[in-house]
Amino acid sequence: MDGVPEPHNGWTFLTNHARVLAAIADNQSARVRDIAARCRLTERAVQKIIADLEQAGYLSHIRQGRGNTYQIDPAKILRHPTEAGQGLTVASLLSLLIHDEAHRATLSSDPTHASG
């Protein structure tokens, strides 16, 4: 994906912070460029989100050569008071997102589930 991604109008269920965190969970050595393309965000937006996540302790990175390897703190409690009050963690959020990705991959590879 070249240039600035198409903007999305309207609301969504996941925040851009959740999308970036899920992309990093999928590939901990992903480049900002690749995360931006996957999440349909600008590179600058992804850099800001990564800085937010690091500042809040959800994410850290180690410089390796010209790239970074990210480390997610799976035990970190989610920020919203509703989830925090229930003790929901980053690991619980990511497990839902990963389960959904696996389910969609299974459906798309199953010829009995036609899309459209």
Side-chain angles (χ1 to χ4, degrees):
M1 176 179 281
D2 292 338
V4 177
E6 293 180 30
H8 177 273
N9 295 321
W11 62 274
T12 63
F13 284 101
L14 296 177
T15 67
N16 290 336
H17 284 65
R19 284 187 186 89
V20 168
L21 195 63
I24 290 171
D26 189 47
N27 181 358
Q28 294 178 337
S29 59
R31 298 176 305 168
V32 168
R33 173 180 296 165
D34 299 327
I35 296 168
R38 176 176 174 165
C39 297
R40 298 183 58 153
L41 299 168
T42 64
E43 290 180 35
R44 181 75 179 132
V46 170
Q47 290 169 339
K48 170 79 168 83
I49 290 168
I50 288 172
D52 288 347
L53 292 170
E54 285 186 317
Q55 184 177 14
Y58 290 90
L59 187 66
S60 60
H61 75 276
I62 298 171
R63 188 82 174 154
Q64 292 189 323
R66 295 178 64 195
N68 291 320
T69 298
Y70 297 98
Q71 181 67 43
I72 296 170
D73 182 352
K76 188 83 171 160
I77 301 293
L78 298 178
R79 290 173 54 103
H80 193 280
T82 302
E83 289 88 25
Q86 296 176 23
L88 294 175
T89 63
V90 169
S92 60
L93 172 65
L94 293 174
S95 71
L96 288 172
L97 296 175
I98 291 167
H99 175 75
D100 180 59
E101 287 287 326
H103 177 72
R104 285 191 285 152
T106 301
L107 289 178
S108 67
S109 66
D110 185 350
T112 63
H113 288 91
S115 61

